[in-house]
Amino acid sequence: MDGLDGLKAKYLTAVAQAAHEAALEEVRLAALGKKGEISALMGSLGKMEPDARKAAGAAMNLLKDEIDAALRAKKAALGDAALDERLRSEWLDVTLPGRPRRMGTIHPVSQVMEELTAIFADMGFAVAEGPQVESDWYNFDALNIPPEHPARQEHDTFFMHRAEGDNRPPHVLRTHTSPVQIRAMTEQGAPIRVIAPGRVYRMDMDQTHTPMFHQVEGLAIDRDISMANLKWTLEEFCRAFFEVPSVELRFRASHFPFTEPSAEVDIRCSWDGGQLKIGQGDKWMEILGSGMVHPKVLRAAGVNPDEWQGFAFGMGIDRIAMLKYGIPDLRAFFESDLRWLRHYGFAALDMPNLPGGLSR
Ligand code: DAH
């Protein structure tokens, strides 16, 4: 049985020296694998005399069990060590600050829409929407612009195609956001307080005009709303929007078919050394059209003008974005130039709000 003691010493030493799980597996195969040394030895039992086989068999089984136990114990130890090593090498400091990654930016027009929505929401105005392909009734007739009215020509309208033989008036790309007034009042009735920011279209293109641009419509209807409420609302809006302590607005008598009386509104500003300042100076910049909603417009939307009255306004969003952020050329808004966007764009995750600040 000396041979067995020698084998035992050999394999127990090999088990003890195995430094990793692959080496241990080699030891297992060499000893207990199908072609391993111990297995071969056990195979030789068959040739022994019965008595000798009994004693040798018992000793070999014992040896096999001892080596097997040693292999298992070592395997568990190596497994723990491997796990410890992995935990040591793969740890992650979750308290490290993140590495900022470059994302897209918010377009100034989107930014300004978010800003003005936040301001008007604070004054109780909900956001209303309407389609960009509009029927001519909503875009014109309901707003007191009948078919032969000169204002139709002034709007440089894009007309949609009509099938041959279809003699109904064609739909149009809405030329202003004012049709949303009609839709909102028809759906919600009075009293109502909404703004409607969105895209509008006119056939016009130069440094200050693009065929698609953005407006925001405002509408407030109640029993006793007056021009004074309009003035306060617009002054509050401009002060908050331009983020200045005070603004001065000038109301100029004007004419729109859908308001009576009507006024265009200018804001006091200065142009010093190419630098525009809002709220001070000796220049005036027109920013919007407004007035008291015409009784015919109320009636077209199913609101009784003997009971309800209110104001409306329409403001160019691109224009006020240019004024606020010092952007000189309107056409750049729509050229998708990434360098321009990175220069004028806003951080993607900064949502404008009144307590946190609109633009910072
Ligand atoms: N819809 C007019 C335009 O596009 C702007 C406007 C003027 C809207 C007066 C109004 C308003 O609501 O009351 O030129």
Side-chain angles (χ1 to χ4, degrees):
M1 289 293 121
D2 281 358
L4 291 189
D5 286 343
L7 278 179
K8 177 174 168 181
K10 173 178 162 188
Y11 283 111
L12 290 184
T13 309
V15 167
Q17 284 172 351
H20 46 78
E21 287 182 307
L24 189 66
E25 178 63 6
E26 275 175 34
V27 176
R28 189 186 71 79
L29 288 173
L32 306 180
K34 259 203 185 114
K35 295 183 178 145
E37 210 169 352
I38 313 253
S39 312
L41 215 53
M42 293 184 93
S44 68
L45 284 173
K47 291 176 204 126
M48 290 185 183
E49 292 299 314
D51 282 350
R53 187 197 300 154
K54 214 172 174 182
M60 280 181 201
N61 271 331
L62 190 65
L63 172 63
K64 191 182 145 209
D65 289 347
E66 277 176 324
I67 294 177
D68 191 51
L71 281 165
R72 284 176 195 280
K74 180 75 179 194
K75 185 165 173 153
L78 284 177
D80 287 351
L83 182 62
D84 284 348
E85 178 55 30
R86 252 184 76 192
L87 290 175
R88 237 192 325 277
S89 65
E90 290 179 9
W91 76 290
L92 195 67
D93 185 351
V94 294
T95 66
L96 275 178
R99 291 188 197 104
R101 253 195 303 156
R102 183 121 132 193
M103 304 167 82
T105 55
I106 300 295
H107 193 285
V109 169
S110 306
Q111 169 78 15
V112 164
M113 284 202 192
E114 297 287 353
E115 292 181 14
L116 60 87
T117 302
I119 298 168
F120 280 113
D122 191 57
M123 295 195 258
F125 287 76
V127 171
E129 284 181 320
Q132 295 177 36
V133 175
E134 188 57 283
S135 77
D136 79 334
W137 187 81
Y138 279 106
N139 196 80
F140 295 121
D141 300 68
L143 291 161
N144 194 28
I145 314 175
E148 299 316 320
H149 196 286
R152 288 219 181 189
Q153 274 67 60
E154 284 158 29
H155 276 221
D156 302 311
T157 311
F158 285 108
F159 294 94
M160 304 301 286
H161 183 69
R162 271 260 182 250
E164 194 113 3
D166 185 341
N167 294 320
R168 289 174 299 169
H171 277 57
V172 300
L173 288 179
R174 69 179 180 195
T175 58
H176 50 178
T177 43
S178 302
V180 186
Q181 289 186 31
I182 308 296
R183 290 183 175 274
M185 282 190 283
T186 307
E187 280 163 26
Q188 302 172 33
I192 186 172
R193 233 185 283 177
V194 288
I195 57 163
R199 294 181 163 186
V200 299
Y201 302 83
R202 290 186 201 179
M203 227 182 298
D204 208 351
M205 180 77 171
D206 60 28
Q207 195 177 344
T208 51
H209 297 90
T210 48
M212 187 280 290
F213 57 105
H214 301 84
Q215 288 188 336
V216 57
E217 197 76 13
L219 175 71
I221 304 290
D222 211 322
R223 293 185 190 280
D224 52 6
I225 290 200
S226 71
M227 289 288 273
N229 301 115
L230 171 66
K231 185 158 193 283
W232 180 88
T233 303
L234 292 176
E235 277 170 358
E236 263 319 281
F237 167 75
C238 288
R239 218 170 39 74
F241 177 75
F242 289 108
E243 300 178 70
V244 290
S246 68
V247 291
E248 205 182 321
L249 297 183
R250 181 172 78 175
F251 281 59
R252 263 183 303 106
S254 182
H255 175 265
F256 300 103
F258 30 88
T259 44
E260 180 57 39
S262 305
E264 282 175 300
V265 177
D266 306 332
I267 189 165
R268 186 185 281 284
C269 63
S270 67
W271 266 111
D272 280 338
Q275 188 69 28
L276 181 73
K277 280 213 178 66
I278 298 289
Q280 56 197 50
D282 52 7
K283 297 261 187 303
W284 295 95
M285 182 86 72
E286 185 197 323
I287 55 168
L288 61 92
S290 64
M292 297 299 290
V293 178
H294 198 290
K296 283 188 176 172
V297 172
L298 294 175
R299 216 172 281 125
V303 169
N304 180 1
D306 298 328
E307 206 179 329
W308 306 99
Q309 63 179 38
F311 65 73
F313 61 86
M315 184 159 47
I317 291 182
D318 315 88
R319 165 69 69 91
I320 61 170
M322 291 168 81
L323 289 178
K324 179 167 180 180
Y325 293 111
I327 302 169
D329 189 338
L330 177 67
R331 286 169 296 191
F333 274 96
F334 309 111
E335 282 170 355
S336 302
D337 182 331
L338 282 178
R339 292 161 305 173
W340 183 89
L341 277 170
R342 283 187 191 119
H343 181 76
Y344 287 109
F346 294 84
L349 299 176
D350 289 353
M351 282 300 278
N353 63 71
L354 291 179
L358 290 175
S359 61
R360 61 204 99 224

